[in-house]
Amino acid sequence: MLWPVAASTARSDVKPGCQEKCGNVSVPYPFGIRERSCAMNKHFFLNCTSNDELLFATGGMPISDISQLEGTVTVGIYAAFSCYNKTGIQTAYYSQYMILRSGPFMFSHTRNIFTAIGCDTSARVTNYEFTYGATCLSLCTEYVEMSDGNPCSGSGCCQTSIPKGLKSLRYSLSTYYNYTSVSDFNLCGFAFLADKRSLKISDWPLSRTPIYGKDAYATDVVIEWVVENKTCEQAKANTSAYACGANADCTYPESGQGYRCSCNEGFEGNPYLKDGCQDIDECKVEGKKPCQEGTCKNIIGNYKCQCPLGKYGDGKTGCIGVGIITIISGN
């Protein structure tokens, strides 16, 4: 005997028939995996390996999170490093180079920060075209405790921001005295780009030395994405290619390049799917009282609060009048 299975009311973030996750990472449309038709176009098609590891198409960087709402992809990128022994001979060196190539992706200038760790460390970050460059200098003469509460002001660590719109990054390190004056507690310098939300400076003590292979030190780096590098006016003019679905509209990211989509007020869901934005029933939102007074009534894209009998006004903010009092008397 077959028992009926209740239909799920959960809304899907992918196109019908497409896989929603790779390992533990959700892959919302316009991204897609397994089948190219599951992605909006080739730029959003991602590689889900046989080991259920999700990789960014460019550079094979592992992905830990995709935010359709914020328009971001978080990837893991190895830190650059430079090490010396106590006699000043270099024992290890690794520089990092990343390029996002063509497509609607760029390194987030609001989420990421370039950081260097070390007591004799000069770290440089540039782009491929060499139209941008910055140097971060970190010096110290005694051991510094790496603390999350203290700013990286140049003693043991330093930081610098990156400009918006960068599609490539290269970072490398150099040293002035080959760590010979601080070799008792610091033999290596590290440089990396990292998400400011997840970066913990306390995880980078001055005594750290590099690890190779799959356990090498990597940081979370945030990549922003847009649908197309067009203005909203240009996008809406081509209705067949316009990316925003019903009850959604075109919006601009902070980077000022290209456009994204967002659900209109009163709707929620995936704005890139045809019918992805669905009405919010504000009257049933758990833990919230939408009406200050009266009865809540949901309407498409909004809600109303009907005042009690004998009162008038907007129950969202409060009704006016004394209302009607019904007295029941018994014999």
Side-chain angles (χ1 to χ4, degrees):
M1 180 176 179
L2 296 177
W3 294 95
V5 179
S8 173
T9 58
R11 295 170 183 162
S12 176
D13 262 347
V14 301
K15 292 176 70 175
C18 292
Q19 188 172 328
E20 298 193 15
K21 283 189 172 185
C22 177
N24 295 323
V25 183
S26 297
V27 186
Y29 188 78
F31 293 91
I33 52 178
R34 303 300 187 192
E35 301 292 337
R36 289 193 176 272
S37 59
C38 290
M40 179 176 288
N41 53 50
K42 64 179 182 180
H43 299 302
F44 292 97
F45 183 71
L46 303 176
N47 179 21
C48 183
T49 70
S50 57
N51 295 323
D52 282 339
E53 183 180 33
L54 187 63
L55 302 179
F56 197 70
T58 302
M61 297 174 285
I63 297 173
S64 59
D65 180 72
I66 299 175
S67 174
Q68 171 264 312
L69 184 64
E70 295 185 327
T72 59
V73 176
T74 302
V75 300
I77 298 177
Y78 293 133
F81 54 80
S82 178
C83 300
Y84 292 78
N85 62 23
K86 291 188 176 184
T87 64
I89 298 175
Q90 190 174 60
T91 57
Y93 182 82
Y94 175 73
S95 62
Q96 182 57 271
Y97 177 52
M98 304 153 287
I99 184 168
L100 301 179
R101 304 187 188 280
S102 61
F105 302 99
M106 65 206 78
F107 293 101
S108 174
H109 72 288
T110 58
R111 291 280 299 274
N112 297 315
I113 189 79
F114 181 68
T115 302
I117 304 290
C119 283
D120 185 12
T121 301
S122 177
R124 185 176 73 170
V125 55
T126 62
N127 63 341
Y128 176 77
E129 298 81 8
F130 219 72
T131 56
Y132 155 75
T135 298
C136 179
L137 181 62
S138 176
L139 301 172
C140 47
T141 57
E142 59 184 11
Y143 186 81
V144 177
E145 189 73 35
M146 295 292 102
S147 172
D148 298 321
N150 296 326
C152 283
S153 56
S155 179
C157 66
C158 62
Q159 292 179 322
T160 185
S161 59
I162 62 171
K164 63 182 179 181
L166 290 182
K167 298 177 72 66
S168 61
L169 281 176
R170 182 196 301 269
Y171 37 85
S172 57
L173 299 100
S174 60
T175 172
Y176 287 97
Y177 304 108
N178 296 353
Y179 293 86
T180 52
S181 61
V182 294
S183 60
D184 288 341
F185 54 88
N186 180 219
L187 288 170
C188 297
F190 291 86
F192 48 83
L193 197 67
D195 180 9
K196 289 183 281 190
R197 295 183 186 177
S198 61
L199 173 61
K200 291 184 177 181
I201 295 298
S202 58
D203 289 340
W204 295 85
L206 292 175
S207 58
R208 170 170 281 188
T209 54
I211 296 176
Y212 297 90
K214 64 181 181 63
D215 295 324
Y217 299 118
T219 56
D220 289 338
V221 175
V222 178
I223 296 172
E224 293 184 17
W225 55 271
V226 293
V227 182
E228 289 183 289
N229 288 313
K230 293 182 178 180
T231 65
C232 289
E233 290 72 21
Q234 291 171 332
K236 291 178 179 179
N238 185 359
T239 55
S240 62
Y242 184 49
C244 304
N247 303 314
D249 202 3
C250 181
T251 59
Y252 290 113
E254 287 187 42
S255 64
Q257 300 184 31
Y259 78 95
R260 296 191 191 122
C261 302
S262 63
C263 292
N264 295 334
E265 187 175 358
F267 295 85
E268 63 181 358
N270 190 327
Y272 300 97
L273 293 171
K274 182 179 178 181
D275 296 310
C277 294
Q278 298 293 315
D279 174 57
I280 301 172
D281 189 344
E282 291 85 355
C283 302
K284 295 181 179 179
V285 176
E286 188 175 350
K288 291 188 178 181
K289 185 180 179 181
C291 300
Q292 183 172 330
E293 192 175 356
T295 304
C296 182
K297 182 179 180 181
N298 185 63
I299 57 177
I300 300 299
N302 208 331
Y303 69 99
K304 297 190 299 185
C305 295
Q306 296 178 329
C307 290
L309 191 62
K311 290 189 175 185
Y312 63 93
D314 187 353
K316 291 181 180 180
T317 55
C319 301
I320 302 172
V322 296
I324 295 177
I325 301 175
T326 302
I327 300 176
I328 302 175
S329 59
N331 292 328

